[in-house]
Amino acid sequence: MSFFVFSATAFAGTQTQQSEQDSTNNAAIEQPSPNDTATTQLAGQPSGADSASDDTTRVAEKGAQADTTSQAAKADTASTGAGSAESEPAGVEKFSHYRNDIKRGERFFRGLLPHNNQQESCASCHNIMPSDTLNWNPSAMDIANKYLEKDFAEFKAVVMEPSGGKMAEVHNDYDFEDTDLKTVKAYLDDLSMRGPAPVKPTITRLLFFILLGLIITWALLEMIFFRKIKYKAIPLLIFLGVFGYQVKMIYEEGVRLGRSPGYEPTQPIKFSHKVHAGQNQIDCMYCHFTVEQSKSAGIPPTDLCLNCHSLVREGTRSGKFEIAKVIEASENEVPIEWVRIHDLPDHVFFSHAQHVNAGKLDCIECHGDVAEMDVIRQVEDLSMGWCIDCHRTKEVQFVENSFYESYETLHEQIKKGEIDKVTVDMIGGTDCMKCHY
């Protein structure tokens, strides 16, 4: 009997603590209007009190049809219990947004709400998932990270009364209620704390490989046990053909482990080489100023960017958002973490100075036409075969090049007409120790 009394007492104490916690969470949510009151009290009500939701209040004010998707969100909230602890990121009490607020905010961001919406959705400009093309507008994650610690008033001012010319043009006709903007802010805060949904890997090639394995298994069983096919050569030919294709797939995947053609990672700032090197015709060596003297071409320091962007604070297509990242990094003395694209294995020696200064190679020969790229990608596979083929076929600018003055024998052969050109392999460019030492 004492055990049951103790259990009942502990259960009552737990319920009392949960009620106090729910009251604290409800008070932590900003309540600018009576419309929010019903939403913030939802977690503390039983499931039968769902009628006092944000949608019901909106119906009472506007006379519009009740939002059925919000009812599903309420059911999700009720299923988690009286409080919203499961929907809150661990250790973050400041942003105690309930799950239904976050879901409604995501629907507003995607343009699914309100039902009579005639404006462009937020997601049409600010992509939620990573894109393989340059979107000049900041992504949803960029916005979420920037305004996570900002209050609602500042977030509203940016959306409804933007200072930038590009954003002011796009947001000119926006008319959102505070209640709706609060749910969007809740969604973005949750997105910043939880991160984007993981991208599921494609397994089409893996499934095809497994299917080929099943065919091989059938062919072996047919030849050894079943023997139902009249012509014995048929399963043998199927086995050899499919097995050969599997070997080819394994070889291709193994080669890809060390090569990354087409690699174009997302950079911390949307820097367009097409704008800078193409339209504005900025020389590559202005930014990569160590390319003629160093092994590496170098990543431009932030202060070099400020040579222009101390004055140019807003782009015609990107607005202020991306350039502001450069200004903020400089003011806070925090380096911009650019992602390296062209990266050779550690056992390979490569010098930009040797190729650009001595060899007189142009950047486009290895990196592609970067002046036409918004997003830089790796064009060549950078394999050993690609390097050796270049060394065997590429003609060196041998005459009137001080670097090659010591090759007296080759100079004499050129003067006598014995040879008409010098390739890299003729001066030791294919020796193993030149690159692997």
Side-chain angles (χ1 to χ4, degrees), residues 116-314:
N116 59 348
N117 181 31
Q118 300 297 323
Q119 300 166 336
E120 290 288 337
S121 67
C122 304
S124 64
C125 295
H126 309 288
N127 55 283
I128 298 176
M129 301 301 295
S131 174
D132 57 356
T133 57
L134 181 62
N135 181 357
W136 290 105
N137 304 292
S139 66
M141 180 58 69
D142 285 336
I143 300 172
N145 291 336
K146 182 171 183 177
Y147 292 96
L148 176 64
E149 299 292 342
K150 309 292 185 182
D151 57 20
F152 174 73
E154 189 169 352
F155 176 74
K156 177 185 175 182
V158 170
V159 176
M160 304 304 294
E161 300 175 1
S163 58
K166 181 66 177 179
M167 193 172 178
E169 177 184 349
V170 177
H171 288 212
N172 183 35
D173 298 327
Y174 275 20
D175 183 21
F176 293 121
E177 296 183 2
D178 286 0
T179 305
D180 299 335
L181 281 179
K182 275 186 171 293
T183 61
V184 173
K185 180 69 164 61
Y187 162 65
L188 293 175
D189 289 346
D190 182 76
L191 179 66
S192 176
M193 292 183 288
R194 295 179 184 273
V199 179
K200 296 181 180 180
T202 56
I203 58 173
T204 305
R205 191 170 173 85
L206 175 61
L207 292 177
F208 182 62
F209 186 83
I210 294 174
L211 176 62
L212 295 180
L214 294 176
I215 295 175
I216 290 176
T217 303
W218 169 83
L220 288 174
L221 293 175
E222 172 62 29
M223 288 187 295
I224 299 175
F225 298 106
F226 300 152
R227 300 181 180 180
K228 294 183 178 181
I229 298 178
K230 181 178 180 180
Y231 301 100
K232 305 302 181 183
I234 293 179
L236 178 61
L237 292 176
I238 293 175
F239 171 81
L240 293 177
V242 175
F243 180 74
Y245 193 81
Q246 268 198 331
V247 172
K248 177 177 177 292
M249 292 180 66
I250 294 173
Y251 169 77
E252 290 175 348
E253 294 300 324
V255 168
R256 288 176 183 173
L257 291 176
R259 305 178 188 176
S260 305
Y263 177 55
E264 48 179 7
T266 301
Q267 300 289 355
I269 296 177
K270 295 175 181 177
F271 178 90
S272 170
H273 279 73
K274 185 175 183 178
V275 170
H276 292 77
Q279 297 173 7
N280 294 322
Q281 298 183 353
I282 299 176
D283 189 86
C284 298
M285 296 183 186
Y286 178 77
C287 297
H288 303 283
F289 52 85
T290 62
V291 70
E292 290 187 306
Q293 296 84 27
S294 174
K295 175 183 175 182
S296 173
I299 296 177
T302 307
D303 288 343
L304 187 142
C305 302
L306 291 179
N307 289 347
C308 296
H309 288 294
S310 58
L311 297 176
V312 181
R313 296 297 184 98
E314 182 172 359

Side-chain angles (χ1 to χ4, degrees), residues 7-17:
S7 299
T9 304
F11 177 77
T14 302
Q15 294 299 314
T16 301
Q17 293 176 359

Side-chain angles (χ1 to χ4, degrees), residues 48 121 148 219 287 321 328 344 368 379:
S121 67
L148 176 64
C287 297
F321 196 90
E328 183 178 354
L344 292 173
V379 176

Side-chain angles (χ1 to χ4, degrees), residues 301-349:
T302 307
D303 288 343
L304 187 142
C305 302
L306 291 179
N307 289 347
C308 296
H309 288 294
S310 58
L311 297 176
V312 181
R313 296 297 184 98
E314 182 172 359
T316 55
R317 284 171 288 183
S318 60
K320 293 183 175 181
F321 196 90
E322 299 300 324
I323 298 177
K325 294 180 182 178
V326 179
I327 306 300
E328 183 178 354
S330 176
E331 292 177 348
N332 296 331
E333 297 183 353
V334 176
I336 300 172
E337 298 182 1
W338 300 101
V339 180
R340 188 182 182 93
I341 298 175
H342 300 83
D343 193 11
L344 292 173
D346 292 341
H347 64 276
V348 177
F349 173 81

